[in-house]
Amino acid sequence: MNVNVQIDPAYPASDIARVAFSMFVHIADFDKNITAQDVRRFQAILRDNAWADNDFRNCLRVLQQDYSTFWTSYEDGVLLVDADSIATELNRIQCGIEAEAASKLRLSLARFIEKLDGSAYGVKVMQGDQRGRLQARKELVAILDEAGKQSARPAPALMDMPSVFPVLHVPSVPDPPAIADLWPAATISPGQAPVWGGGKTKVRCVSVAWETQDTKTYSFVADPQVLFHYKPGQFITIEIPLGGNVLRRSYTISSSPSRPYTLSITVKKVPMGWVSNWLFDNMVEGFECAVTGPAGKFTCHDHPSSKLLFLAAGSGITPLMSMLRWLADTCSATDIVFINNVRTPDDIIFHQELLHMSTRLAGKMRLAIVPSSVSPSRPWHGPVGSVSENLIQTYAPDFIERETFVCGPPGYMAAVKSMLAGMGLPMSQYHDESFGGASAAASPAASTPSPPAPLVATQSAFRDQPGRLGSAPSLLSFKNAVIATGTASTNAPTSRQLNLAQQPPRSGSCPADPAASRAAPARSPSGPLDTTRTANVSIQGSNDRFLVRSGQTILEAADAAGVSLAHSCRAGVCGACKIRKMSGRVEMAEQGILSQADMDAGFVLTCIGRPIGDVILAL
């Protein structure tokens, strides 16, 4: 791609571009183990350069244009990227520009290092085997500090300071990017490409798009490439490797199966939502992870109707948006009423697309976006308030005839369900996204735990709040792992444990931290401690065997014993922990994931299943 860059002749953009490239390589190749993923992340930073001021942005454009030339010179040993060479060149550059410009340059380079650290290398530094990269970053920060001190001293003439970097002859037209980088779907042929319809698959992020100030959409392609197949409204479980552990979290697919080349999730950053915060601060184009799915029965696909009513609140819009896109793309003749409740006009996810859809579908869709409050300084010409009988009667007077789909915070869904039942809607036509888990009354293990002793998790049970909306998560403590919700990263000493205060679960939340079961015996449904009732669970084909106390789920006991079992929601609603029972009895609370055929075949959910006597499971 030819990039026309206009540079102030007094500002040495090409020299600064070489310094920035050298800083990148100094960190990424510190241990001579740079990867293709490192390069993709770095190129994403160069493209997404809105954080830089105009002068430094021009330097990044030069770097992007001349990247292959810089890399060739580095590989040939002509371009040096050690700390001394970078420091000498930076000092030479700032001696040739005004003091104010030199100060701005140091600030820009500091921000550049933060971007490298947060979006490109934060995960690797935290893994423990990449301490060299952390050391390289510290060296660069020290170079900038020393450069600031040097700028206050009398500087020698610029001509007296030869550059340690060579003068490079840059071709006028650089090599174009590979077609696979420009067009991820270019190698997929609809008639030949395999179709993903379930299971675990490796994916790569190809797009990160802002929806609101705290919500982003992350789009993925499969590697190796496949066409994604699922039902609109279903969800996946995303797995993020971090610090030797795996963070698992289930999110609704916001894209439509009618657009099978990419798979998208739209995630709102929430307080104490570990995974949503990590995604918001760290997920970039080129990042590779795994997804499992699809799962879930919240889909209009299974309830065909000539009339639909969609009710959404906040980020609960994501499964309904998948359904709406699918209905539009498949030219459905269904009449749709879409009521979207939000906090303020600034919190409307998919705002422009919703307006476009209402125009595209014309008489087949009625849209109501209803903020609960509007600033007096901002004009708003639609309804304001909360969901109500009057609102539904106004936009869907024939609601009794409509198949109804509701998604939002648990309190919102409970209120809407009660209201619609009171208005006469047959409950056979009511469907909601049940990502809240069993109530405390239904699960003895859900009682509020006593303040625990310091805990150490033995496997990945790290998760966001149990539903996509609502209550706070249980927090875990990880030995030798760093939990980061921002872009900065630190590496805890090997012997130190990071202890987080455990939050008591609210109604509808996941069970308490499974590691808490090591600190106190389980309670029986009647209340008193009961340590006499136990069961042995064995995993067929392995040496894994663990004890389950009365009141514990199989998954809680496995966590306590250090046995790794697949899981995600811990509330019996995602199906990630589904496993076949070979012998014994397992009781489960009410669930909607396993079909009768699944149960007849012996499948159980370990996150809500409790053994009655000894049990043998098969992975």
Side-chain angles (χ1 to χ4, degrees), residues 152-213:
R153 303 169 187 166
L158 181 62
M159 296 302 295
D160 296 336
M161 299 183 62
S163 173
V164 297
F165 289 169
V167 176
L168 304 178
H169 299 286
V170 180
S172 57
V173 181
D175 295 335
I179 190 66
D181 293 331
L182 290 175
W183 201 344
T187 59
I188 298 181
S189 171
Q192 300 175 358
V195 175
W196 175 79
K200 180 182 289 189
T201 187
K202 180 181 175 183
V203 296
R204 172 169 54 88
C205 181
V206 293
S207 172
V208 179
W210 289 79
E211 302 293 350
T212 69
Q213 62 182 355

Side-chain angles (χ1 to χ4, degrees), residues 31-68:
D31 294 322
K32 305 303 178 185
N33 63 347
I34 193 169
T35 66
Q37 186 165 313
D38 292 326
V39 174
R40 285 196 296 266
R41 289 168 174 167
F42 178 62
Q43 291 172 341
I45 293 174
L46 298 184
R47 291 193 300 270
D48 184 17
N49 55 25
W51 51 271
D53 61 39
N54 288 334
D55 287 333
F56 197 70
R57 193 175 302 146
N58 284 335
C59 299
L60 295 180
R61 289 170 182 164
V62 172
L63 172 51
Q64 187 175 14
Q65 179 177 340
D66 300 345
Y67 175 82
S68 60

Side-chain angles (χ1 to χ4, degrees), residues 115-196:
K115 297 294 289 184
L116 291 178
D117 183 43
S119 54
Y121 313 110
V123 174
K124 292 194 172 183
V125 168
M126 287 185 283
Q127 286 181 348
D129 59 344
Q130 299 291 338
R131 293 188 178 89
R133 297 191 181 206
L134 180 60
Q135 178 60 35
R137 177 187 181 278
K138 291 179 179 178
E139 291 177 359
L140 295 181
V141 172
I143 288 172
L144 293 181
D145 290 342
E146 180 61 26
K149 299 174 184 177
Q150 291 285 349
S151 65
R153 303 169 187 166
L158 181 62
M159 296 302 295
D160 296 336
M161 299 183 62
S163 173
V164 297
F165 289 169
V167 176
L168 304 178
H169 299 286
V170 180
S172 57
V173 181
D175 295 335
I179 190 66
D181 293 331
L182 290 175
W183 201 344
T187 59
I188 298 181
S189 171
Q192 300 175 358
V195 175
W196 175 79

Side-chain angles (χ1 to χ4, degrees), residues 46 103 159 269 274 285 291 312 391 462 502 524 527 590 602 608:
L46 298 184
S103 177
M159 296 302 295
K269 181 180 181 180
W274 297 117
E285 294 177 22
V291 299
L391 182 68
F462 207 24
Q502 187 176 7
S524 68
E590 182 180 353
I608 61 172

Side-chain angles (χ1 to χ4, degrees), residues 2 145 179 259 285 341 414 430-431 444 495 520 553 569 580 595:
N2 229 341
D145 290 342
I179 190 66
R259 309 175 194 182
E285 294 177 22
N341 290 95
Y430 176 89
H431 316 277
S495 60
T553 65
C569 73
R580 186 187 294 271
S595 65

Side-chain angles (χ1 to χ4, degrees), residues 9-306:
Y11 197 75
S14 182
D15 293 341
I16 295 170
R18 286 199 298 273
V19 169
F21 173 84
S22 300
M23 288 181 164
F24 155 63
V25 178
H26 184 69
I27 295 177
D29 208 27
F30 190 86
D31 294 322
K32 305 303 178 185
N33 63 347
I34 193 169
T35 66
Q37 186 165 313
D38 292 326
V39 174
R40 285 196 296 266
R41 289 168 174 167
F42 178 62
Q43 291 172 341
I45 293 174
L46 298 184
R47 291 193 300 270
D48 184 17
N49 55 25
W51 51 271
D53 61 39
N54 288 334
D55 287 333
F56 197 70
R57 193 175 302 146
N58 284 335
C59 299
L60 295 180
R61 289 170 182 164
V62 172
L63 172 51
Q64 187 175 14
Q65 179 177 340
D66 300 345
Y67 175 82
S68 60
T69 303
F70 291 153
W71 189 257
T72 299
S73 298
Y74 166 65
E75 288 185 327
D76 291 343
V78 178
L79 181 60
L80 304 179
V81 299
D82 60 282
D84 290 340
S85 298
I86 294 173
T88 302
E89 182 66 5
L90 179 59
N91 192 35
R92 189 190 73 84
I93 290 173
Q94 71 174 6
C95 286
I97 58 180
E98 298 291 334
E100 182 179 353
S103 177
K104 286 178 59 180
L105 172 60
R106 292 192 299 273
L107 290 174
S108 295
L109 288 172
R111 179 63 176 145
F112 178 68
I113 293 171
E114 288 180 2
K115 297 294 289 184
L116 291 178
D117 183 43
S119 54
Y121 313 110
V123 174
K124 292 194 172 183
V125 168
M126 287 185 283
Q127 286 181 348
D129 59 344
Q130 299 291 338
R131 293 188 178 89
R133 297 191 181 206
L134 180 60
Q135 178 60 35
R137 177 187 181 278
K138 291 179 179 178
E139 291 177 359
L140 295 181
V141 172
I143 288 172
L144 293 181
D145 290 342
E146 180 61 26
K149 299 174 184 177
Q150 291 285 349
S151 65
R153 303 169 187 166
L158 181 62
M159 296 302 295
D160 296 336
M161 299 183 62
S163 173
V164 297
F165 289 169
V167 176
L168 304 178
H169 299 286
V170 180
S172 57
V173 181
D175 295 335
I179 190 66
D181 293 331
L182 290 175
W183 201 344
T187 59
I188 298 181
S189 171
Q192 300 175 358
V195 175
W196 175 79
K200 180 182 289 189
T201 187
K202 180 181 175 183
V203 296
R204 172 169 54 88
C205 181
V206 293
S207 172
V208 179
W210 289 79
E211 302 293 350
T212 69
Q213 62 182 355
D214 58 5
T215 305
K216 294 180 181 180
T217 292
Y218 310 97
S219 298
F220 304 90
V221 295
D223 186 13
Q225 292 182 326
V226 297
L227 297 176
F228 293 103
H229 179 67
Y230 50 93
K231 295 178 181 179
Q234 288 191 300
F235 61 88
I236 58 170
T237 299
I238 186 170
E239 299 183 358
I240 305 294
L242 180 61
N245 294 278
V246 177
L247 283 66
R248 293 185 178 92
R249 184 69 175 87
S250 296
Y251 291 107
T252 297
I253 304 170
S254 56
S255 52
S256 167
S258 52
R259 309 175 194 182
Y261 291 93
T262 60
L263 186 76
S264 300
I265 57 174
T266 300
V267 182
K268 181 177 181 179
K269 181 180 181 180
V270 296
M272 305 304 288
W274 297 117
V275 178
S276 66
N277 278 266
W278 191 95
L279 290 171
F280 192 91
D281 294 330
N282 296 282
M283 179 61 73
V284 294
E285 294 177 22
F287 186 87
E288 296 174 347
C289 57
V291 299
T292 304
K297 298 181 179 180
F298 183 67
T299 173
C300 63
H301 180 278
D302 296 341
H303 304 278
S305 174
S306 61

Side-chain angles (χ1 to χ4, degrees), residues 550-566:
S550 175
Q552 278 187 312
T553 65
I554 295 172
L555 182 58
E556 289 169 346
D559 284 337
V563 176
S564 179
L565 296 179

Side-chain angles (χ1 to χ4, degrees), residues 525-568:
S526 59
L529 292 176
D530 182 0
T531 59
T532 60
R533 291 179 55 200
T534 59
N536 290 305
V537 173
S538 304
I539 308 299
Q540 191 176 75
S542 74
N543 294 323
D544 292 331
R545 180 184 177 92
F546 53 91
L547 189 69
V548 184
R549 294 193 181 96
S550 175
Q552 278 187 312
T553 65
I554 295 172
L555 182 58
E556 289 169 346
D559 284 337
V563 176
S564 179
L565 296 179
H567 65 276
S568 178

